[in-house]
Amino acid sequence: MTSTSEPHPVTGQPVGLPVDATPAQRPSPVMLEGRHGHIERLTQRHDAGLWKAVQGHDHIWTYMSYGPLADLAAFSAWLAGRVKLDDPYSYAIIDRSGQAVGIATLMEIRPPLGTEAQYLLARYAFETLGYRRYEWKCNALNASSRRAAARYGFVYEGTFRQHMITKSRSRDTAYYSMLDSEWPARKAAFERWLAPENFDAQGRQRASLSALNAG
């Protein structure tokens, strides 16, 4: 028996490890509280705050299949379609002032709120919903997204070549994952990084999340 398989009881052939096949729960409109902000179900009322956060930052749309959007009206219309979707199920990232500043990984939220948002969502997926696998996927050319995946502790699995066409251009998609068996160590790294004592008086980190995950 290995960490990824065990022998068939009759034939002795490797057949993988037994798994509880009870389906995981679907995401729901929970509120996930953190120290730097919280996560809540994305709704139409978040449109003005989110538009304020993205307006003038056209670079965030480069690797997405939509955008940039011209004005608040166009953004609000796009958001109206997104809030109706169950898959993907979107959450708004809210800062301590109550301002909506992101939609999951839509925007490059500066740490610690962006990091805390990822921690809260991963914890919810593994510990509440009961998922075995948490994925991160992005345009293979999106270097900032790939760096973020590695920093958060996701494991690179490979690239789907010519996976899709986005904005009339060929897109390769890089896939990363985090497994339930890896979550305890990742959770500990997140919590050590987010701890107040990890930051000095100027808000600078003492230990990086990358280093904590590597350790």
Side-chain angles (χ1 to χ4, degrees), residues 113-134:
L113 180 56
T115 300
E116 186 174 59
Q118 288 301 316
Y119 162 71
L120 292 171
L121 288 171
R123 187 180 67 180
Y124 177 57
F126 286 125
E127 299 183 11
T128 301
L129 301 180
Y131 282 91
R132 303 173 58 231
R133 173 184 174 87
Y134 188 50

Side-chain angles (χ1 to χ4, degrees), residues 78-114:
W78 170 81
L79 192 73
R82 192 163 184 102
V83 299
K84 296 175 183 177
L85 299 176
D86 288 329
D87 187 4
Y89 193 96
S90 298
Y91 292 94
I93 302 172
I94 312 296
D95 67 16
R96 280 182 287 195
S97 72
Q99 180 75 28
V101 294
I103 304 173
T105 57
L106 174 61
M107 286 164 278
E108 296 177 16
I109 307 304
R110 293 184 177 87
L113 180 56

Side-chain angles (χ1 to χ4, degrees), residues 132-155:
R132 303 173 58 231
R133 173 184 174 87
Y134 188 50
E135 288 186 353
W136 181 289
K137 51 191 176 183
C138 62
N139 189 309
L141 297 175
N142 190 343
S144 61
S145 186
R146 299 188 70 158
R147 285 193 300 269
R151 176 176 175 271
Y152 293 142
F154 287 86
V155 175

Side-chain angles (χ1 to χ4, degrees), residues 183-194 208-209 212-214:
W183 172 238
R186 298 294 179 260
K187 178 181 180 180
F190 271 121
E191 291 179 349
R192 286 181 61 192
W193 189 85
L194 289 165
S208 71
L209 183 57
L212 292 171
N213 275 317

